[in-house]
């Protein structure tokens, strides 16, 4: 596969470390964890070998993603390293998904959201297929709406409440569905002649998205808090 003029091929950890050192790109990563991950080398190359504005913007998104997935608690590092360096077909496809998604997003902050989902995947909190579905949702929707949805959800809200919260666009995503409405006959039986109000709730994917996003961001927060304590 070729992306950003870089040929992607499998590398050993030593080969990758050499590539990083040669490119002077150690500034991207602060610990040994990511230096052993093959697709990180491909990402770093895309930032360092090109002078085009488009590729530099891509590099900014890459750096934000890499910085985010560095923020994991120390006790998770070995587990994550083993999962992320596993050279099987599923891992390679997921890495390609991340690379292409970072290329297409138009808001840099979406790289953070993709990183949260990726961390949750590495921690077995979201399946491979749902990870890819959730990344597509992030790529295809307004970042503020997706971020707010991941924090508060929309369970039981009607359209006006969703619109007032600034989440109207979320209704048309795979994250949301209409709740079952009471039938007109049942309403008439209890003397209620008003029109039923449509309310909405999270789909199973919506629940997964909220859980995975919160899990990834929580692990990153724990890592930052631990680092702050060490510095103190």
């Amino acid at each position: 596969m070729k992306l950003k003029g870089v040929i992607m091929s499998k590398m050993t950890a030593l080969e990758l470390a050499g590539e990083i050192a040669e490119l002077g790109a150690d500034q991207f990563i602060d610990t040994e964890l990511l230096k052993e991950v093959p697709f990180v080398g491909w990402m770093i190359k895309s930032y360092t070998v090109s002078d085009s504005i488009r590729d530099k913007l891509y590099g900014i998104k890459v750096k934000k993603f890499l910085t985010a997935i560095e923020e994991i608690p120390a006790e998770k590092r070995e587990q994550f390293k083993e999962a992320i360096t596993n050279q099987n077909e599923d891992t390679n496809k997921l890495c390609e998904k991340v690379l292409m998604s970072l290329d297409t997003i138009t808001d840099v902050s979406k790289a953070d959201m993709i990183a949260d989902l990726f961390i949750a995947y590495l921690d077995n909190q979201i399946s491979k297929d749902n990870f890819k579905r959730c990344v597509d949702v992030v790529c295809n929707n307004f970042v503020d709406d997706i971020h707010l949805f991941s924090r508060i959800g929309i369970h039981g809200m009607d359209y006006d409440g969703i619109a007032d919260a600034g989440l109207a666009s979320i209704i048309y995503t795979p994250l949301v569905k209409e709740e079952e409405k009471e039938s007109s006959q049942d309403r008439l039986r209890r003397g209620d002649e008003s029109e039923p109000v449509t309310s909405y709730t999270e789909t199973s994917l919506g629940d997964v998205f909220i859980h995975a996003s919160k899990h990834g961001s929580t692990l990153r927060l724990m890592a930052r808090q631990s680092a702050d304590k060490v510095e103190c």
Side-chain angles (χ1 to χ4, degrees):
M1 178 180 178
K2 197 170 185 178
L3 183 69
K4 300 294 176 189
V6 178
I7 297 174
M8 294 186 180
S9 59
K10 294 181 181 178
M11 297 180 180
T12 67
L14 288 176
E15 288 171 335
L16 177 58
E19 296 257 355
I20 293 173
E22 181 182 349
L23 292 169
D26 282 304
Q27 60 182 314
F28 271 85
I29 42 185
D30 296 327
T31 74
E32 295 300 315
L33 172 65
L34 294 181
K35 292 182 182 180
E36 297 187 32
V37 181
F39 82 91
V40 172
W42 307 330
M43 286 179 159
I44 291 172
K45 280 185 179 180
S46 72
Y47 181 81
T48 56
V49 302
S50 175
D51 290 327
S52 76
I53 293 175
R54 185 172 185 271
D55 285 359
K56 287 300 182 184
L57 290 173
Y58 176 74
I60 291 170
K61 293 180 284 187
V62 165
K63 185 174 182 179
K64 193 168 187 64
F65 175 84
L66 294 179
T67 301
I69 62 173
E70 272 281 80
E71 295 176 332
I72 55 176
E75 63 270 19
K76 295 282 187 181
R77 289 184 179 273
E78 284 303 315
Q79 171 193 336
F80 281 21
K81 184 167 71 174
E82 181 178 350
I84 206 172
T85 56
N86 182 16
Q87 283 294 300
N88 59 38
E89 186 177 356
D90 283 348
T91 301
N92 290 335
K93 285 184 177 179
L94 284 182
C95 291
E96 290 175 6
K97 178 71 174 180
V98 170
L99 287 167
M100 290 185 286
S101 298
L102 291 174
D103 188 28
T104 59
I105 58 176
T106 56
D107 192 303
V108 174
S109 61
K110 286 186 177 183
D112 257 335
M113 303 184 73
I114 294 173
D116 287 340
L117 294 170
F118 193 65
I119 290 170
Y121 167 75
L122 292 176
D123 206 24
N124 300 312
Q125 299 297 310
I126 183 173
S127 70
K128 173 193 65 176
D129 289 340
N130 279 340
F131 168 76
K132 292 190 289 186
R133 292 185 182 103
C134 289
V135 169
D136 282 343
V137 170
V138 171
C139 291
N140 296 327
N141 291 276
F142 182 52
V143 63
D144 290 352
D145 292 357
I146 293 296
H147 181 65
L148 183 59
F149 174 82
S150 71
R151 287 169 45 214
I152 67 172
I154 50 86
H155 183 70
M157 296 170 68
D158 61 16
Y159 181 85
D160 289 341
I162 293 172
D164 289 344
L167 290 171
S169 66
I170 298 297
I171 291 175
Y172 308 104
T173 71
L175 305 178
V176 173
K177 65 180 180 181
E178 289 187 12
E179 287 193 297
E180 292 186 9
K181 293 183 290 189
E182 186 180 23
S183 70
S184 298
Q185 289 181 339
D186 287 340
R187 295 173 66 83
L188 288 174
R189 285 194 195 100
R190 60 184 180 81
D192 186 349
E193 298 182 0
S194 63
E195 287 295 319
V197 176
T198 301
S199 58
Y200 298 84
T201 191
E202 297 82 8
T203 62
S204 59
L205 183 65
D207 288 334
V208 167
F209 182 88
I210 291 172
H211 171 73
S213 297
K214 287 182 177 179
H215 186 81
S217 62
T218 297
L219 286 184
R220 292 172 58 196
L221 177 61
M222 289 168 56
R224 290 195 298 271
Q225 290 174 338
S226 296
D228 289 342
K229 288 180 181 179
V230 171
E231 290 178 2
C232 293

